[in-house]
Amino acid sequence: MIKKKKICIVVSSEMTIKTFLLDHLKLLCIEYDVFIVTGTNCQYLHNDYKLDISVIKIPIDRNINIGRDFLSLIRLFLVFKKNKFDLIHSITPKAGLLSMIAGYISRIPVRIHIFTGQIWAQKKNIIRMMLQYIDRLIVFFSTNILADSESQMEFIIKEKIVAPNKISVLANGSISGVNLQRFAHNDSARKIVRQKLNISNKDIVFLFIGRLKHDKGILDLCTAFKKNFSARDNVHLLIVGPDEEKIVDVINKLDIKKEKLHLIPYAEKPEKYMVSADILCLPSYREGFGNVIIEAASCRLPSIGSRIYGITDAILEYETGLLHAPGDISALGSLMEKLYLNEELRNSMGQAAYERAKASFSSNKVTAAWLDYYATLI
């Protein structure tokens, strides 16, 4: 029997596993002896999905904490040294920095990090320089770098974070692609969710799904919604995601009518909210790809997004959705108004978005690219 190669995926949060990696892991653990390092035990991988994966619990804080970060670095080094992995693969900045350093010191032969957006993209002066330096350290200690979109790759090459010969994009982009069976139009689910939220089947629903953070443009969206739709009773704003910066307190101060604003703090199955909506909005200030856009596309939703790297890969302007300048609340409101008024345009863009998601971004296609990429490196 041929001994399987050993790979280790390092993430700061198990949410990354649930959101992006499950479809990949199902096939990876057939080909490889798979380990995951994260801050929790991830029992659901064994109990719910029956995956033959070893989970090593090492807390990795998302925020800087020199003492805890050093301890995590030491623990990662010891784990890597003991297990002698053939490949390690990190996702998210802190996990990337610590695991690439630990992997370099412990002489792991293949060390991959994937960039999913740059937190310094909207920063200025010394903060921007410091955060860029951290990304350059990740690149230095890695052997291979991935980006989850072509435009993100071009951006970080232009910023001299990574050399062109060290970075790649798998398939057509996206860290995970979209599960076309899970994210699919469903009239029954649409009616159920709308009944629970007291939304008529004929009403128009704008949807935001993601972490509630200032740089996601969520306050821009709420402001545009209030300005353009306060006097219309047949339109709603549905916001789904964890509040990481007490954004809900600010949203409530905007005084949007309660019957028109629906806040869902967390969703194990975001797809049921997608099928209940009509238009996805992602007015983000930074985004590696905008995976939620192609998930919504698989549910036949058009999208409105900001014209930034990452999102411009997920939305084909005037074909699958519409784009506006980041931070331009007036333009955002105008695009929302345009799709609200034009049912034919909504439907045609939604269908085009679905066809593109199916052809270019299926999770099967992205997982196959991951497997091929690993095979070329190990």
Side-chain angles (χ1 to χ4, degrees), residues 204 206 229 232 234 336-342 346:
I204 301 299
F206 291 97
F229 300 103
R232 292 164 171 154
N234 69 331
M336 294 171 72
E337 182 95 8
K338 183 174 184 176
L339 286 185
Y340 163 76
L341 293 172
N342 196 328
R346 290 199 306 271

Side-chain angles (χ1 to χ4, degrees), residues 28-94:
L28 284 172
C29 66
I30 296 173
E31 298 289 333
Y32 300 101
D33 189 4
V34 180
F35 291 70
I36 288 179
V37 171
T38 189
T40 54
N41 293 321
C42 300
Q43 288 299 321
Y44 61 90
L45 292 175
H46 308 121
N47 299 337
D48 299 338
Y49 297 97
K50 312 301 180 186
L51 297 181
D52 185 17
I53 292 175
S54 301
V55 179
I56 300 171
K57 184 178 178 182
I58 298 179
I60 299 175
D61 289 348
R62 295 184 66 162
N63 298 319
I64 295 175
N65 185 303
I66 295 176
R68 286 201 293 265
D69 291 346
F70 182 73
L71 290 176
S72 297
L73 176 63
I74 296 300
R75 293 179 66 182
L76 283 167
F77 167 75
L78 294 174
V79 166
F80 292 168
K81 195 71 174 175
K82 175 183 176 182
N83 288 281
K84 295 181 171 60
F85 297 116
D86 298 284
L87 176 152
I88 59 173
H89 190 162
S90 60
I91 304 167
T92 69
K94 179 66 77 63

Side-chain angles (χ1 to χ4, degrees), residues 240-344:
V240 181
D243 186 0
E244 297 189 355
E245 296 179 350
K246 296 184 178 180
I247 296 289
V248 171
D249 292 343
V250 183
I251 293 174
N252 288 332
K253 291 179 181 178
L254 293 174
D255 200 27
I256 299 171
K257 292 180 181 178
K258 291 183 179 181
E259 62 271 20
K260 295 163 64 68
L261 177 64
H262 311 272
L263 299 169
I264 310 297
Y266 176 72
E268 282 279 355
K269 297 182 178 180
E271 62 271 21
K272 69 180 184 180
Y273 294 103
M274 289 182 179
V275 300
S276 74
D278 299 286
I279 303 152
L280 180 84
C281 296
L282 186 61
S284 184
Y285 288 80
R286 66 174 184 91
E287 208 71 43
F289 178 78
N291 217 66
V292 67
I293 292 170
I294 59 169
E295 290 171 346
S298 186
C299 298
R300 290 180 165 82
L301 265 62
S303 293
I304 297 172
S306 46
R307 192 180 286 102
I308 60 172
Y309 77 82
I311 290 181
T312 54
D313 296 76
I315 295 176
L316 289 183
E317 192 169 17
Y318 305 121
E319 293 184 37
T320 67
L322 300 171
L323 297 171
H324 61 89
D328 191 336
I329 296 173
S330 178
L332 170 59
S334 295
L335 297 183
M336 294 171 72
E337 182 95 8
K338 183 174 184 176
L339 286 185
Y340 163 76
L341 293 172
N342 196 328
E343 181 180 3
E344 183 179 350

